[in-house]
Amino acid sequence: MLWRLAALLILAAAPLRAEEVVLGLSSDKVAITATFDGSEILIFGAVKREAPIPETTLDVVITVSGPSLPVQVRRKDRQFGIWINTDMVDLDAAPSFYAVATTGPLDKVLSNTEDLRHRISIPRAIRSVGAASMAPNVDVGNFTDALIRIKRDQNAYQMRESAVVLDEQTLFRTAISLPANLTEGAYQTRIFLTREGRVVSQYQTVIDVRKVGLERWLFTMSREQPMLYGLMSLAIAIAAGWGASAAFQIMRRG
């Protein structure tokens, strides 16, 4: 297979170390166009060693993280027959997209200590340090869980256990599905090699996600020339309304 050949080629080209990741991507750039409806990135690589394979089992954990932004999470309760916002928590930073793929159950391939150190699991990737001090009477964990649930429903947060294929403790591969509503920016891609739950090696690279074509032109105009963008949007709305009205009049006469 092509991915296996590519992994062997990059393995041969890498410098020798005790045990390290040599990575390949099917694409390191994603173009968001007007017709973009999602994409899939194949992540593959190899483990290069200068010593015999250890007896302990090797596992691989891969994460892909989109740009992190502050997020405000609100809770609604029904009072007097209507739904109103009752509580609110500001999370310091949450990735716009986050995917974790592993060779096995996450709690088996990664210890809690290593998860805390490297912020690998989805809850660890969300930073909410300041939220507890800003809302001392609110359980921040419930709001974090709600955000994760919403993002999972949107396919923006993915936990893909046993989705990484590892051959002979050397060659690995997985595929990450990117949804249509991607945020533009650098998507940090990390690969961790673990043994008995401990990280023994890691590698990091970036997938660049950018708007192109008409999408890029409109996005740039909205940021750099907001007045012109607003006038153009208004003109398009007026023209569309006039066109619909004219078409309706013609249909009535016919």
Side-chain angles (χ1 to χ4, degrees), residues 31-40 155 178-182:
I32 301 178
T33 63
T35 58
F36 180 77
D37 60 355
S39 181
E40 186 176 76
N155 202 33
L178 303 177
N181 57 338
L182 287 178

Side-chain angles (χ1 to χ4, degrees), residues 64-219:
V64 178
S65 177
S68 291
L69 299 169
V71 176
Q72 189 175 81
V73 184
R74 296 185 177 92
R75 177 166 60 197
K76 290 187 176 182
D77 288 327
R78 189 164 186 170
Q79 296 183 5
F80 307 107
I82 59 174
W83 290 95
I84 62 174
N85 295 324
T86 56
D87 290 310
M88 179 182 67
V89 166
D90 291 316
L91 301 178
D92 300 319
S96 57
F97 173 85
Y98 196 76
V100 183
T102 68
T103 49
L106 185 61
D107 59 349
K108 301 296 183 183
V109 305
L110 186 73
S111 70
N112 186 61
T113 301
E114 295 286 17
D115 185 20
L116 182 62
R117 178 180 294 121
H118 298 283
R119 295 184 176 274
I120 293 174
S121 65
I122 294 175
R124 298 290 190 194
I126 300 173
R127 298 179 182 272
S128 57
V129 177
S133 60
M134 295 295 292
N137 299 323
V138 175
D139 187 351
V140 177
N142 289 337
F143 286 81
T144 302
D145 292 342
L147 175 64
I148 293 173
R149 183 175 63 254
I150 293 170
K151 289 287 191 179
R152 276 179 168 164
D153 291 342
Q154 298 171 347
N155 202 33
Y157 285 179
Q158 304 172 16
M159 182 67 237
R160 307 183 67 244
E161 294 179 317
S162 303
V164 178
V165 178
L166 178 63
D167 293 335
E168 300 177 358
Q169 297 200 58
T170 301
L171 304 178
F172 63 86
R173 70 185 186 277
T174 192
I176 300 295
S177 298
L178 303 177
N181 57 338
L182 287 178
T183 299
E184 189 179 32
Y187 282 59
Q188 301 294 330
T189 303
R190 299 181 297 166
I191 294 85
F192 299 90
L193 302 182
T194 69
R195 291 188 182 276
E196 298 181 321
R198 184 173 59 88
V199 174
V200 297
S201 182
Q202 60 179 298
Y203 181 88
Q204 182 170 318
T205 188
V206 171
I207 299 172
D208 190 40
V209 176
R210 298 293 172 190
K211 293 182 174 69
V212 297
L214 179 62
E215 287 283 312
R216 183 64 187 176
W217 182 71
L218 291 174
F219 178 80

